[in-house]
């Protein structure tokens, strides 16, 4: 929890309370449905919560914005971002039902009013969003194909509408076909060794009506 306060120092009392509840909620649910690896649950704030908030160092979502989290798993990056941006609407999608069950219970336990969920494949979601976020659920080419028709036409943010993707390692080959992608290195924002090779990739996407 101190990690979160270290990098986000203007949190409200409500946000502080919600972030502090995450450990207990995930520990409880992880005993029933394993959504976070056993070793990671002890480092939840570093490996999951702060990692998810790396997106917030690149993009400050505005009130009324719509963001879809694809392959959310246990709710990352969507749940931490929903706490940080309470005026932004988050749609968390995963094809595995038990993971969405955990997400629903965590969102309810935190009292989050800006989260909705879908148990299903992203291709079946019939809506458009300002941004689509995710944590390395597929190669960029595959991911881009899944979400290419799901971006709003109207731009409201400093960055163009599109994908904000948490990835790691050398992305030269993976992004070779995406010259408009911008890579943000998380060590520029976070000093912990865990982030040494971690990145946020922004890929603008044109609206296809």
């Amino acid at each position: 929890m101190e990690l979160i306060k270290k990098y986000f120092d203007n949190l409200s009392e409500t946000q502080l309370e919600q972030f502090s509840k995450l450990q207990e909620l995930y520990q409880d649910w992880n005993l029933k449905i394993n959504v976070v690896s056993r070793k990671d649950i002890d480092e939840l704030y570093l490996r999951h919560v702060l990692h998810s908030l790396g997106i917030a160092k690149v993009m400050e979502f505005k009130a009324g914005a719509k963001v879809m989290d694809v392959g959310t798993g246990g709710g990352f990056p969507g749940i931490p971002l929903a706490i940080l941006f309470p005026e932004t609407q988050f749609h968390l999608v995963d094809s595995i039902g038990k993971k969405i069950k955990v997400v629903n219970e965590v969102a309810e336990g935190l009292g989050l009013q800006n989260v909705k969920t879908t148990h299903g494949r992203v291709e079946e979601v019939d809506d458009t969003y300002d941004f689509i976020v995710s944590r390395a659920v597929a190669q960029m080419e595959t991911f881009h194909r899944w979400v290419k028709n799901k971006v709003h036409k109207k731009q409201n943010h400093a960055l163009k509408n599109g994908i904000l993707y948490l990835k790691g390692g050398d992305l030269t080959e993976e992004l070779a076909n995406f010259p408009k992608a911008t890579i943000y290195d998380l060590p520029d924002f976070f000093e912990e060794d865990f982030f040494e090779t971690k990145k946020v990739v922004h890929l603008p996407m044109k609206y296809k009506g």
Side-chain angles (χ1 to χ4, degrees):
M1 184 59 207
E2 292 306 314
L3 262 183
I4 308 306
K5 290 196 276 190
K6 175 179 173 181
Y7 292 109
F8 297 91
D9 56 6
N10 58 347
L11 299 172
S12 69
E13 287 301 315
T14 299
Q15 288 170 318
L16 287 168
E17 188 181 339
Q18 288 170 328
F19 276 123
S20 67
K21 278 184 179 176
L22 285 174
Q23 183 85 43
E24 185 184 351
L25 282 166
Y26 277 107
Q27 277 179 327
D28 285 352
W29 274 101
N30 226 44
L31 294 173
K32 305 168 196 168
I33 300 171
N34 189 21
V35 291
V36 177
S37 74
R38 296 280 184 249
K39 65 174 185 181
D40 278 8
I41 200 76
D42 294 331
E43 294 196 70
L44 185 79
Y45 287 100
L46 173 68
R47 293 171 173 263
H48 294 281
V49 183
L50 192 59
H51 188 208
S52 296
L53 295 176
I55 288 173
K57 291 296 186 183
V58 172
M59 164 55 58
E60 191 162 327
F61 298 117
K62 294 187 176 180
K66 286 173 63 182
V67 178
M68 177 165 63
D69 176 6
V70 175
T72 189
F76 302 102
I79 292 284
L81 290 172
I83 295 173
L84 196 63
F85 300 106
E87 302 297 315
T88 299
Q89 298 303 310
F90 289 88
H91 185 184
L92 279 53
V93 180
D94 204 284
S95 60
I96 300 172
K98 66 180 183 179
K99 292 186 175 180
I100 287 296
K101 177 178 172 57
V102 172
V103 173
N104 285 332
E105 295 291 343
V106 169
E108 189 176 326
L110 297 171
L112 292 174
Q113 302 295 312
N114 59 332
V115 170
K116 74 172 186 175
T117 63
T118 293
H119 168 215
R121 296 172 59 80
V122 63
E123 297 96 320
E124 298 159 4
V125 174
D126 184 23
D127 205 349
T128 58
Y129 303 85
D130 296 276
F131 290 95
I132 295 160
V133 301
S134 191
R135 281 210 305 180
V137 294
Q139 290 280 319
M140 184 62 90
E141 198 148 328
T142 303
F143 190 77
H144 182 267
R145 189 171 67 247
W146 288 349
V147 302
K148 63 185 178 186
N149 296 320
K150 305 198 188 301
V151 174
H152 275 335
K153 187 173 188 176
K154 190 178 179 190
Q155 308 275 341
N156 293 309
H157 295 76
L159 293 183
K160 289 185 176 176
N161 293 2
I163 294 168
L164 287 165
Y165 212 18
L166 288 160
K167 297 283 277 184
D170 185 351
L171 303 176
T172 310
E173 196 175 318
E174 183 173 342
L175 297 178
N177 294 329
F178 300 99
K180 291 186 177 173
T182 303
I183 296 172
Y184 299 87
D185 294 312
L186 286 182
D188 290 347
F189 309 106
F190 304 138
E191 63 184 13
E192 286 71 23
D193 291 344
F194 173 74
F195 297 104
E196 189 178 347
T197 63
K198 303 282 193 291
K199 303 165 176 65
V200 176
V201 179
H202 171 239
L203 180 63
M205 292 172 66
K206 284 187 178 168
Y207 172 81
K208 294 181 180 178

